[in-house]
Amino acid sequence: MRYIISLLLTSLALPAWAQVPQVVTDIPPVQALTAQVMGTLGTPVLLLEKGADEHDFALRPSQMRDIATADLVVWVGPELTPWLDRALAANPAPALALLDDPATQTQTYAPGHAEEEGAGIDPHAWLNPQNAISWLDLIAARLAALDPEHATTYAANSANAKARVAAMDTEIAAALAPLTDKSFVTFHAAYGYFTARYQLQAAASLALGDASAPGAARMSELAAQLRAGHYSCAFPEMQHDPALLTQIMAGSDTKLGAALDPVGSSLDFGPDAYDALMRGLAKNLSDCLYP
């Protein structure tokens, strides 16, 4: 009896284990940054499935349940994923919209694009690593508020992740420095943050809107520019059929580059996905544009 009582008293004296927040994320780069902050404490759920379009995605019932039971949903915002905005309206959960944070460096689409998008803010803000660095601290602070017992772990993980992103940013800047005078075409207008960060020529795009197909007039205009030699390379995208792009390249000397993946839809998700996304984008651009 004394042994049983001793065990009971010992168990009462032990500190209760803090429950790590259940976190849901929208796209691979956000999941990767959140996973780096959480470290070994937990793995954030990723909603966007491999190969899916971030602008138009249908959630499964199990994913709706993940949202409804989440302690925190970390997402870019409704400007990028309107399907998650609708899901949160139907199943309210604590959410962190990264574009809404004052520290996020936002920019508008180039003239002519905003009308197609329906809003002036370009939501592809993760393509500027300075935003990723800012978001790491933001995510760590929100997790620490939910789980104070692990606050120091979140802060330390965030510091390590920021150093990793900063080193990657420096390496990409050096690799792309010789290419600042090269012009190129992409499938849609997703690369403004990337080109601005690394002082590249602003990319022309076949589709002016994220969710819109290019019209005949746009295709004819861009085909004429390609034949006139205005662009060094044209890049298809992982989520889109390259046929339209190759069609308008006919009769031009423009080189066809590797398919770009601005959201990391082709990558294995996890803490390394953001680094892989950014380095892969820089490599594909450099491989085609390098003189």
Side-chain angles (χ1 to χ4, degrees):
M1 176 63 72
R2 286 196 300 271
Y3 176 72
I4 295 173
I5 293 173
S6 177
L7 284 177
L8 289 171
L9 291 173
T10 301
S11 65
L12 289 173
L14 291 173
W17 288 103
Q19 184 172 349
V20 174
Q22 298 298 306
V23 182
V24 172
T25 60
D26 55 351
I27 59 173
V30 173
Q31 196 276 344
L33 296 173
T34 307
Q36 290 186 60
V37 174
M38 296 187 76
T40 59
L41 294 175
T43 301
V45 171
L46 172 63
L47 294 175
L48 189 73
E49 296 173 349
K50 205 167 187 178
D53 184 343
E54 69 273 21
H55 303 292
D56 184 18
F57 180 65
L59 290 162
R60 292 181 280 106
S62 62
Q63 293 174 312
M64 292 293 289
R65 288 193 294 272
D66 287 335
I67 294 168
T69 59
D71 296 306
L72 180 63
V73 176
V74 184
W75 64 317
V76 174
E79 299 87 347
L80 182 77
T81 52
W83 45 270
L84 182 50
D85 192 36
R86 293 189 293 271
L88 286 169
N91 297 277
L96 173 59
L98 298 170
L99 275 185
D100 288 347
D101 187 74
T104 300
Q105 300 176 35
T106 59
Q107 61 188 53
T108 59
Y109 282 102
H113 294 78
E115 293 82 358
E116 296 281 341
E117 299 293 337
I121 295 296
D122 180 347
H124 305 86
W126 63 92
L127 294 179
N128 179 350
Q130 293 302 301
N131 283 330
I133 289 172
S134 172
W135 292 351
L136 286 163
D137 274 344
L138 188 63
I139 293 165
R142 182 62 69 90
L143 288 173
L146 293 170
D147 179 17
E149 184 168 329
H150 294 118
T152 55
T153 299
Y154 297 132
N157 289 346
S158 175
N160 291 334
K162 288 194 297 180
R164 178 180 179 180
V165 172
M168 176 203 72
D169 185 30
T170 299
E171 291 172 20
I172 290 177
L176 296 180
L179 308 177
T180 56
D181 62 337
K182 301 295 182 180
S183 57
F184 60 98
V185 174
T186 61
F187 185 86
H188 88 289
Y191 304 93
Y193 289 92
F194 193 91
T195 56
R197 176 62 184 168
Y198 299 114
Q199 301 178 29
L200 302 175
Q201 297 292 317
S205 59
L206 176 57
L208 294 180
D210 281 333
S212 64
R218 176 59 183 164
M219 291 182 63
S220 177
E221 175 190 17
L222 196 52
Q225 293 173 352
L226 289 167
R227 289 193 299 271
H230 291 178
Y231 302 104
S232 300
C233 291
F235 296 92
E237 279 184 17
M238 288 289 185
Q239 302 153 311
H240 302 281
D241 189 338
L244 287 178
L245 194 59
T246 55
Q247 177 184 333
I248 67 167
M249 290 175 63
S252 79
D253 293 327
T254 305
K255 293 185 290 183
L256 182 66
L260 304 181
D261 190 5
V263 77
S265 66
S266 64
L267 302 174
D268 293 333
F269 76 90
D272 296 331
Y274 181 69
D275 190 88
L277 182 161
M278 295 294 291
R279 291 182 185 277
L281 182 55
K283 182 180 186 304
N284 286 344
L285 288 174
S286 182
D287 284 349
C288 188
L289 293 171
Y290 202 81

